[in-house]
Amino acid sequence: MSHADDLVIRAARVVLPEGERAAAVVVRDGVVTAVLAVDAEIDAAEEVVLGPDEVLLPGLVDAHVHVNEPGRSEWEGFASATRAAAAGGVTTIVDMPLNSIPPTTDVAALEVKRASAAPSAFVDVGFWGGAVPGNVDALAPLHEAGVFGFKCFLLSSGVPEFPPLDAAQLELALTEVARFDGLVIVHAEDAHVIGAAPDATGTHYTDFLASRPRRAEDLAIGQVIEAARRTGCRVHVLHLSSADALPLIAAARADGVRLSVETCPHYLCLTAEDVPDGATQYKCCPPIREAGNREALWAGLAEGLIDTIVSDHSPSTIDLKCLDTGDFGAAWGGISSLQLGLPVVWTQARQRGLTLSDVVRWMSAGPAAQTGLTDRGAIAVGRRADFCVLAPEATFVVDAAALQHRNAVTPYSGQRLHGVVRSTWLAGARVSLDGPPRGRLVTRPVRSSR
């Protein structure tokens, strides 16, 4: 059954698709070839025995990461982002089509992105394409080139080179993407509602929260649902923050609308009530909302209405966060959390009686299924040997300066979190943050358009 060039990892706790148990996981050529009893006799070239406080998880798949290289690599680049991913137990990231220059809105720009990523990726990297006004003819070629789907905004993205779609342009994009059964992922906030809301300028978080009301998110999600219903396109709601939209989501799914939904660690951990005045490191769009809303999002996860948890790692240089003035209106909106997603979510999940199997479903198996990366996301025979070794009861205090992110700013600074990532394994080999980079570029399996 085994060969002398196998790796075997033995652990008293292994999170498998059917649940958690002791096991010996056998790896050959970067793929899991057997999951056996923990004390099974195996002739292996290398044997690793995890400590009694450690759990073997599948590597996480983070399908919402803004790397920003090329063009804004001082915000974040592939080397720093993928080091941060590996340090946090993430073995695959999917890069958003903005805020790089050029944005990934045609095949030429995709090739620029790939050339930037290939020599410096410490974990596997895939790419989303972008749907912007005027590029509908570029969507099928991008799909054929292997992007996992197409991101669009329904209001200003914050960068001029990635403009939003109006209602007619959204319908056109969904109609085109439905033709080849692709996926459209949507930043769903309504521009008109936000345009009529109070101005965000100032240091009070309550004023910023009022400038991005739940109604803007709820109305936009309703519009996306109806457009998906008309066109038959698969759609995905990005970074859900408003739990008020959950009944809309449930009804749409009951009607057969092809809809999936994600949320993020910051919406599941942080609360509006706890954001200090001027603490612009907490600014993101849509915003962190009240504690009651946070608990409703956790309920949505438990009920299966929310499918995945992803970071929406959206970094910037420190000066763009306006920490000196504390002006929420002027600060860049984005949370840096790629390295911290697993401990943030696990810290909150364990307080609610949830398990590591739940966390793996939301942060590994779910994003792998959403993106079609069916070769990963679980510890099972035939899957890639991408692993995270976690000490779930160990704790640490977040030090922003010690993270692998390029810019040392995060709202989690100073928090004590449960869950220390002891090591990360990519295709059966331990990832070294000192290099050389071993990550691959990954694509959606290419099919011909209908």
Side-chain angles (χ1 to χ4, degrees), residues 143-162:
H143 179 79
E144 294 296 325
V147 301
F148 289 93
F150 306 95
K151 180 174 186 176
C152 68
F153 279 76
L154 304 185
L155 78 172
S156 172
S157 70
V159 292
E161 67 276 2
F162 202 94

Side-chain angles (χ1 to χ4, degrees), residues 182-428:
L183 175 66
V184 175
I185 63 176
V186 187
H187 182 124
E189 289 182 285
D190 185 81
H192 301 293
V193 172
I194 289 176
D199 189 77
T201 300
T203 61
H204 299 306
Y205 186 75
T206 52
D207 292 338
F208 171 66
L209 188 61
S211 77
R212 313 288 292 214
R214 295 190 201 188
R215 173 169 163 72
E217 203 172 350
D218 304 337
L219 181 60
I221 289 171
Q223 292 166 346
V224 170
I225 287 169
E226 291 310 308
R229 192 192 308 275
R230 288 189 298 271
T231 62
C233 189
R234 291 189 295 132
V235 296
H236 177 79
V237 172
L238 297 165
H239 44 52
L240 179 71
S241 81
S242 172
D244 290 351
L246 290 171
L248 286 174
I249 291 162
R253 286 181 168 171
D255 288 345
V257 176
R258 304 167 74 193
L259 171 69
S260 56
V261 182
E262 70 183 35
T263 193
C264 304
H266 38 281
Y267 302 130
L268 298 168
C269 172
L270 307 173
T271 65
E273 293 91 337
D274 293 332
V275 178
D277 283 351
T280 51
Q281 63 267 38
Y282 289 82
K283 180 182 176 179
C284 58
C285 300
I288 295 159
R289 302 193 188 277
E290 301 84 355
N293 183 82
R294 177 186 64 179
E295 296 314 307
L297 290 176
W298 277 106
L301 281 162
E303 294 168 18
L305 295 176
I306 302 172
D307 303 278
T308 61
I309 303 173
V310 293
S311 68
D312 188 12
H313 179 68
S314 184
S316 71
T317 54
I318 294 175
D319 61 298
L320 291 178
K321 293 300 284 186
C322 299
L323 298 175
D324 54 342
T325 66
D327 186 342
F328 280 98
W332 175 259
I335 301 290
S336 293
S337 62
L338 179 54
Q339 186 172 335
L340 297 172
L342 176 57
V344 166
V345 171
W346 172 236
T347 298
Q348 296 293 318
R350 66 191 296 278
Q351 294 174 8
R352 293 165 173 81
L354 298 164
T355 68
L356 283 171
S357 291
D358 295 319
V359 172
V360 164
R361 183 171 72 254
W362 296 321
M363 302 188 76
S364 183
Q370 180 213 342
T371 53
L373 288 168
T374 55
D375 63 342
R376 63 201 69 199
I379 299 175
V381 173
R383 302 289 185 104
R384 273 176 52 92
D386 294 347
F387 307 128
C388 166
V389 175
L390 182 74
E393 300 310 312
T395 66
F396 68 101
V397 176
V398 177
D399 174 6
L403 299 176
Q404 296 293 326
H405 305 157
R406 179 155 294 178
N407 291 281
V409 55
T410 177
Y412 301 108
S413 188
Q415 283 201 24
R416 179 171 293 278
L417 300 177
H418 277 81
V420 172
V421 175
R422 295 271 172 83
S423 63
T424 299
W425 297 68
L426 188 69

